[in-house]
PDB file of all heavy atoms in Angstrom:
ATOM      1  N   ASP A1085      -0.349  18.987  34.428  1.00  0.00           N
ATOM      2  CA  ASP A1085       1.095  19.430  34.200  1.00  0.00           C
ATOM      3  C   ASP A1085       1.212  20.084  32.821  1.00  0.00           C
ATOM      4  O   ASP A1085       2.005  20.973  32.630  1.00  0.00           O
ATOM      5  CB  ASP A1085       1.970  18.236  34.286  1.00  0.00           C
ATOM      6  CG  ASP A1085       2.266  17.813  35.741  1.00  0.00           C
ATOM      7  OD1 ASP A1085       1.904  18.631  36.617  1.00  0.00           O
ATOM      8  OD2 ASP A1085       2.788  16.748  36.026  1.00  0.00           O
ATOM      9  N   PHE A1088       0.132  23.610  33.094  1.00  0.00           N
ATOM     10  CA  PHE A1088       1.180  24.353  33.728  1.00  0.00           C
ATOM     11  C   PHE A1088       2.332  24.650  32.757  1.00  0.00           C
ATOM     12  O   PHE A1088       2.915  25.746  32.783  1.00  0.00           O
ATOM     13  CB  PHE A1088       1.728  23.599  34.981  1.00  0.00           C
ATOM     14  CG  PHE A1088       0.743  23.655  36.113  1.00  0.00           C
ATOM     15  CD1 PHE A1088       0.740  22.630  37.142  1.00  0.00           C
ATOM     16  CD2 PHE A1088      -0.156  24.737  36.294  1.00  0.00           C
ATOM     17  CE1 PHE A1088      -0.016  22.675  38.172  1.00  0.00           C
ATOM     18  CE2 PHE A1088      -0.966  24.830  37.456  1.00  0.00           C
ATOM     19  CZ  PHE A1088      -0.903  23.729  38.372  1.00  0.00           C
ATOM     20  N   ASP A1136      -3.295  16.525  45.127  1.00  0.00           N
ATOM     21  CA  ASP A1136      -3.422  17.605  46.084  1.00  0.00           C
ATOM     22  C   ASP A1136      -2.355  18.688  45.956  1.00  0.00           C
ATOM     23  O   ASP A1136      -2.584  19.772  46.422  1.00  0.00           O
ATOM     24  CB  ASP A1136      -3.521  17.089  47.479  1.00  0.00           C
ATOM     25  CG  ASP A1136      -2.263  16.331  47.924  1.00  0.00           C
ATOM     26  OD1 ASP A1136      -1.311  16.248  47.110  1.00  0.00           O
ATOM     27  OD2 ASP A1136      -2.208  15.875  49.072  1.00  0.00           O
ATOM     28  N   SER A1137      -1.180  18.365  45.386  1.00  0.00           N
ATOM     29  CA  SER A1137      -0.162  19.337  45.175  1.00  0.00           C
ATOM     30  C   SER A1137      -0.209  20.033  43.842  1.00  0.00           C
ATOM     31  O   SER A1137       0.602  20.889  43.525  1.00  0.00           O
ATOM     32  CB  SER A1137       1.238  18.712  45.331  1.00  0.00           C
ATOM     33  OG  SER A1137       1.457  17.743  44.310  1.00  0.00           O
ATOM     34  N   LYS A1138      -1.220  19.743  43.016  1.00  0.00           N
ATOM     35  CA  LYS A1138      -1.303  20.284  41.689  1.00  0.00           C
ATOM     36  C   LYS A1138      -2.625  20.984  41.415  1.00  0.00           C
ATOM     37  O   LYS A1138      -2.723  21.791  40.498  1.00  0.00           O
ATOM     38  CB  LYS A1138      -1.246  19.144  40.660  1.00  0.00           C
ATOM     39  CG  LYS A1138       0.169  18.454  40.667  1.00  0.00           C
ATOM     40  CD  LYS A1138       0.237  17.329  39.644  1.00  0.00           C
ATOM     41  CE  LYS A1138       1.628  16.717  39.698  1.00  0.00           C
ATOM     42  NZ  LYS A1138       2.675  17.610  39.285  1.00  0.00           N
ATOM     43  N   VAL A1139      -3.653  20.770  42.264  1.00  0.00           N
ATOM     44  CA  VAL A1139      -4.933  21.420  42.018  1.00  0.00           C
ATOM     45  C   VAL A1139      -5.713  21.546  43.337  1.00  0.00           C
ATOM     46  O   VAL A1139      -5.452  20.770  44.247  1.00  0.00           O
ATOM     47  CB  VAL A1139      -5.703  20.605  40.972  1.00  0.00           C
ATOM     48  CG1 VAL A1139      -6.172  19.240  41.564  1.00  0.00           C
ATOM     49  CG2 VAL A1139      -6.923  21.346  40.445  1.00  0.00           C
ATOM     50  N   GLN A1251      -4.810  30.649  44.507  1.00  0.00           N
ATOM     51  CA  GLN A1251      -4.115  29.455  45.038  1.00  0.00           C
ATOM     52  C   GLN A1251      -3.446  28.636  43.944  1.00  0.00           C
ATOM     53  O   GLN A1251      -2.353  28.103  44.070  1.00  0.00           O
ATOM     54  CB  GLN A1251      -5.173  28.604  45.755  1.00  0.00           C
ATOM     55  CG  GLN A1251      -5.524  29.122  47.150  1.00  0.00           C
ATOM     56  CD  GLN A1251      -4.434  29.042  48.107  1.00  0.00           C
ATOM     57  OE1 GLN A1251      -3.681  28.095  48.183  1.00  0.00           O
ATOM     58  NE2 GLN A1251      -4.330  30.080  48.958  1.00  0.00           N
ATOM     59  N   THR A1252      -4.223  28.612  42.814  1.00  0.00           N
ATOM     60  CA  THR A1252      -3.576  27.884  41.720  1.00  0.00           C
ATOM     61  C   THR A1252      -2.246  28.514  41.212  1.00  0.00           C
ATOM     62  O   THR A1252      -1.296  27.779  40.944  1.00  0.00           O
ATOM     63  CB  THR A1252      -4.576  27.848  40.502  1.00  0.00           C
ATOM     64  OG1 THR A1252      -5.769  27.183  40.873  1.00  0.00           O
ATOM     65  CG2 THR A1252      -3.945  27.154  39.267  1.00  0.00           C
ATOM     66  N   HIS A1253      -2.211  29.788  41.181  1.00  0.00           N
ATOM     67  CA  HIS A1253      -1.100  30.483  40.671  1.00  0.00           C
ATOM     68  C   HIS A1253       0.096  30.522  41.725  1.00  0.00           C
ATOM     69  O   HIS A1253       1.220  30.213  41.387  1.00  0.00           O
ATOM     70  CB  HIS A1253      -1.434  31.904  40.277  1.00  0.00           C
ATOM     71  CG  HIS A1253      -0.283  32.663  39.712  1.00  0.00           C
ATOM     72  ND1 HIS A1253       0.130  32.456  38.343  1.00  0.00           N
ATOM     73  CD2 HIS A1253       0.604  33.625  40.143  1.00  0.00           C
ATOM     74  CE1 HIS A1253       1.178  33.244  38.061  1.00  0.00           C
ATOM     75  NE2 HIS A1253       1.483  33.905  39.190  1.00  0.00           N
ATOM     76  N   THR A1254      -0.290  30.865  42.981  1.00  0.00           N
ATOM     77  CA  THR A1254       0.739  31.112  43.969  1.00  0.00           C
ATOM     78  C   THR A1254       1.224  29.830  44.582  1.00  0.00           C
ATOM     79  O   THR A1254       2.405  29.762  45.086  1.00  0.00           O
ATOM     80  CB  THR A1254       0.224  32.046  45.048  1.00  0.00           C
ATOM     81  OG1 THR A1254      -0.935  31.460  45.655  1.00  0.00           O
ATOM     82  CG2 THR A1254      -0.109  33.430  44.479  1.00  0.00           C
ATOM     83  N   ARG A1255       0.467  28.809  44.606  1.00  0.00           N
ATOM     84  CA  ARG A1255       0.784  27.580  45.310  1.00  0.00           C
ATOM     85  C   ARG A1255       1.176  26.425  44.250  1.00  0.00           C
ATOM     86  O   ARG A1255       2.323  25.986  44.201  1.00  0.00           O
ATOM     87  CB  ARG A1255      -0.305  27.043  46.231  1.00  0.00           C
ATOM     88  CG  ARG A1255       0.052  25.783  46.996  1.00  0.00           C
ATOM     89  CD  ARG A1255      -1.175  25.331  47.784  1.00  0.00           C
ATOM     90  NE  ARG A1255      -0.906  24.023  48.364  1.00  0.00           N
ATOM     91  CZ  ARG A1255      -1.869  23.231  48.865  1.00  0.00           C
ATOM     92  NH1 ARG A1255      -3.093  23.765  48.855  1.00  0.00           N
ATOM     93  NH2 ARG A1255      -1.660  22.039  49.297  1.00  0.00           N
ATOM     94  N   HIS A1256       0.217  26.038  43.598  1.00  0.00           N
ATOM     95  CA  HIS A1256       0.376  24.838  42.704  1.00  0.00           C
ATOM     96  C   HIS A1256       1.236  25.149  41.523  1.00  0.00           C
ATOM     97  O   HIS A1256       2.190  24.309  41.184  1.00  0.00           O
ATOM     98  CB  HIS A1256      -0.959  24.330  42.224  1.00  0.00           C
ATOM     99  CG  HIS A1256      -1.940  23.980  43.335  1.00  0.00           C
ATOM    100  ND1 HIS A1256      -1.578  23.055  44.322  1.00  0.00           N
ATOM    101  CD2 HIS A1256      -3.132  24.447  43.646  1.00  0.00           C
ATOM    102  CE1 HIS A1256      -2.602  22.971  45.169  1.00  0.00           C
ATOM    103  NE2 HIS A1256      -3.513  23.800  44.808  1.00  0.00           N
ATOM    104  N   TYR A1257       1.022  26.268  40.800  1.00  0.00           N
ATOM    105  CA  TYR A1257       1.817  26.615  39.590  1.00  0.00           C
ATOM    106  C   TYR A1257       3.259  27.012  40.094  1.00  0.00           C
ATOM    107  O   TYR A1257       4.230  26.498  39.417  1.00  0.00           O
ATOM    108  CB  TYR A1257       1.275  27.765  38.890  1.00  0.00           C
ATOM    109  CG  TYR A1257       2.101  28.261  37.804  1.00  0.00           C
ATOM    110  CD1 TYR A1257       2.372  27.572  36.655  1.00  0.00           C
ATOM    111  CD2 TYR A1257       2.771  29.534  37.932  1.00  0.00           C
ATOM    112  CE1 TYR A1257       3.228  28.024  35.645  1.00  0.00           C
ATOM    113  CE2 TYR A1257       3.584  30.024  36.980  1.00  0.00           C
ATOM    114  CZ  TYR A1257       3.857  29.269  35.795  1.00  0.00           C
ATOM    115  OH  TYR A1257       4.688  29.766  34.832  1.00  0.00           O
ATOM    116  N   GLU A1258       3.462  27.690  41.183  1.00  0.00           N
ATOM    117  CA  GLU A1258       4.752  27.972  41.611  1.00  0.00           C
ATOM    118  C   GLU A1258       5.577  26.822  41.988  1.00  0.00           C
ATOM    119  O   GLU A1258       6.770  26.688  41.699  1.00  0.00           O
ATOM    120  CB  GLU A1258       4.699  28.951  42.820  1.00  0.00           C
ATOM    121  CG  GLU A1258       4.354  30.418  42.451  1.00  0.00           C
ATOM    122  CD  GLU A1258       5.410  31.029  41.515  1.00  0.00           C
ATOM    123  OE1 GLU A1258       6.576  30.754  41.755  1.00  0.00           O
ATOM    124  OE2 GLU A1258       5.041  31.744  40.622  1.00  0.00           O
ATOM    125  N   LEU A1259       4.946  25.805  42.559  1.00  0.00           N
ATOM    126  CA  LEU A1259       5.633  24.544  42.888  1.00  0.00           C
ATOM    127  C   LEU A1259       6.054  23.896  41.649  1.00  0.00           C
ATOM    128  O   LEU A1259       7.207  23.368  41.549  1.00  0.00           O
ATOM    129  CB  LEU A1259       4.641  23.608  43.734  1.00  0.00           C
ATOM    130  CG  LEU A1259       5.199  22.225  44.048  1.00  0.00           C
ATOM    131  CD1 LEU A1259       6.440  22.293  44.878  1.00  0.00           C
ATOM    132  CD2 LEU A1259       4.172  21.349  44.670  1.00  0.00           C
ATOM    133  N   TYR A1260       5.178  23.801  40.608  1.00  0.00           N
ATOM    134  CA  TYR A1260       5.537  23.173  39.309  1.00  0.00           C
ATOM    135  C   TYR A1260       6.681  23.956  38.675  1.00  0.00           C
ATOM    136  O   TYR A1260       7.667  23.371  38.176  1.00  0.00           O
ATOM    137  CB  TYR A1260       4.360  23.098  38.397  1.00  0.00           C
ATOM    138  CG  TYR A1260       4.644  22.565  37.004  1.00  0.00           C
ATOM    139  CD1 TYR A1260       4.714  21.224  36.767  1.00  0.00           C
ATOM    140  CD2 TYR A1260       5.024  23.521  36.023  1.00  0.00           C
ATOM    141  CE1 TYR A1260       5.025  20.765  35.526  1.00  0.00           C
ATOM    142  CE2 TYR A1260       5.237  22.988  34.742  1.00  0.00           C
ATOM    143  CZ  TYR A1260       5.258  21.708  34.459  1.00  0.00           C
ATOM    144  OH  TYR A1260       5.567  21.193  33.251  1.00  0.00           O
ATOM    145  N   ARG A1261       6.513  25.298  38.726  1.00  0.00           N
ATOM    146  CA  ARG A1261       7.590  26.164  38.030  1.00  0.00           C
ATOM    147  C   ARG A1261       8.929  25.983  38.613  1.00  0.00           C
ATOM    148  O   ARG A1261       9.962  25.947  38.021  1.00  0.00           O
ATOM    149  CB  ARG A1261       7.081  27.632  38.161  1.00  0.00           C
ATOM    150  CG  ARG A1261       8.086  28.641  37.568  1.00  0.00           C
ATOM    151  CD  ARG A1261       7.485  30.048  37.687  1.00  0.00           C
ATOM    152  NE  ARG A1261       8.463  31.016  37.283  1.00  0.00           N
ATOM    153  CZ  ARG A1261       9.360  31.620  38.073  1.00  0.00           C
ATOM    154  NH1 ARG A1261       9.388  31.222  39.307  1.00  0.00           N
ATOM    155  NH2 ARG A1261      10.106  32.560  37.647  1.00  0.00           N
ATOM    156  N   ARG A1262       8.974  25.962  40.071  1.00  0.00           N
ATOM    157  CA  ARG A1262      10.259  25.800  40.759  1.00  0.00           C
ATOM    158  C   ARG A1262      10.901  24.494  40.479  1.00  0.00           C
ATOM    159  O   ARG A1262      12.077  24.500  40.146  1.00  0.00           O
ATOM    160  CB  ARG A1262      10.021  25.934  42.254  1.00  0.00           C
ATOM    161  CG  ARG A1262      11.325  25.940  43.021  1.00  0.00           C
ATOM    162  CD  ARG A1262      11.089  26.161  44.527  1.00  0.00           C
ATOM    163  NE  ARG A1262      10.423  25.143  45.193  1.00  0.00           N
ATOM    164  CZ  ARG A1262       9.200  25.117  45.697  1.00  0.00           C
ATOM    165  NH1 ARG A1262       8.491  26.258  45.583  1.00  0.00           N
ATOM    166  NH2 ARG A1262       8.661  24.083  46.274  1.00  0.00           N
ATOM    167  N   CYS A1263      10.120  23.464  40.450  1.00  0.00           N
ATOM    168  CA  CYS A1263      10.692  22.108  40.189  1.00  0.00           C
ATOM    169  C   CYS A1263      11.153  21.978  38.694  1.00  0.00           C
ATOM    170  O   CYS A1263      12.200  21.458  38.477  1.00  0.00           O
ATOM    171  CB  CYS A1263       9.621  21.017  40.416  1.00  0.00           C
ATOM    172  SG  CYS A1263       9.115  20.855  42.192  1.00  0.00           S
ATOM    173  N   LYS A1264      10.352  22.665  37.815  1.00  0.00           N
ATOM    174  CA  LYS A1264      10.787  22.604  36.432  1.00  0.00           C
ATOM    175  C   LYS A1264      12.048  23.397  36.178  1.00  0.00           C
ATOM    176  O   LYS A1264      12.975  22.903  35.428  1.00  0.00           O
ATOM    177  CB  LYS A1264       9.633  23.171  35.550  1.00  0.00           C
ATOM    178  CG  LYS A1264       9.756  22.756  34.088  1.00  0.00           C
ATOM    179  CD  LYS A1264       9.517  21.265  33.839  1.00  0.00           C
ATOM    180  CE  LYS A1264       9.516  20.927  32.437  1.00  0.00           C
ATOM    181  NZ  LYS A1264       9.252  19.503  32.225  1.00  0.00           N
ATOM    182  N   LEU A1265      12.208  24.601  36.752  1.00  0.00           N
ATOM    183  CA  LEU A1265      13.335  25.371  36.555  1.00  0.00           C
ATOM    184  C   LEU A1265      14.591  24.723  37.274  1.00  0.00           C
ATOM    185  O   LEU A1265      15.751  24.837  36.712  1.00  0.00           O
ATOM    186  CB  LEU A1265      13.124  26.776  37.101  1.00  0.00           C
ATOM    187  CG  LEU A1265      12.140  27.637  36.359  1.00  0.00           C
ATOM    188  CD1 LEU A1265      11.973  28.953  37.050  1.00  0.00           C
ATOM    189  CD2 LEU A1265      12.577  27.881  34.958  1.00  0.00           C
ATOM    190  N   GLU A1266      14.348  24.071  38.380  1.00  0.00           N
ATOM    191  CA  GLU A1266      15.520  23.392  39.002  1.00  0.00           C
ATOM    192  C   GLU A1266      15.965  22.236  38.173  1.00  0.00           C
ATOM    193  O   GLU A1266      17.199  21.925  38.112  1.00  0.00           O
ATOM    194  CB  GLU A1266      15.055  22.875  40.392  1.00  0.00           C
ATOM    195  CG  GLU A1266      14.930  24.002  41.412  1.00  0.00           C
ATOM    196  CD  GLU A1266      14.486  23.479  42.780  1.00  0.00           C
ATOM    197  OE1 GLU A1266      14.066  22.294  42.883  1.00  0.00           O
ATOM    198  OE2 GLU A1266      14.432  24.274  43.773  1.00  0.00           O
TER     199      GLU A1266
END
Side-chain angles (χ1 to χ4, degrees):
D1085 284 345
F1088 284 153
D1136 65 358
S1137 63
K1138 297 180 178 295
V1139 69
Q1251 285 290 323
T1252 299
H1253 184 79
T1254 60
R1255 180 185 169 194
H1256 304 300
Y1257 171 69
E1258 282 300 319
L1259 176 62
Y1260 175 84
R1261 177 177 173 274
R1262 184 173 71 249
C1263 294
K1264 198 69 176 180
L1265 291 177
E1266 286 177 354

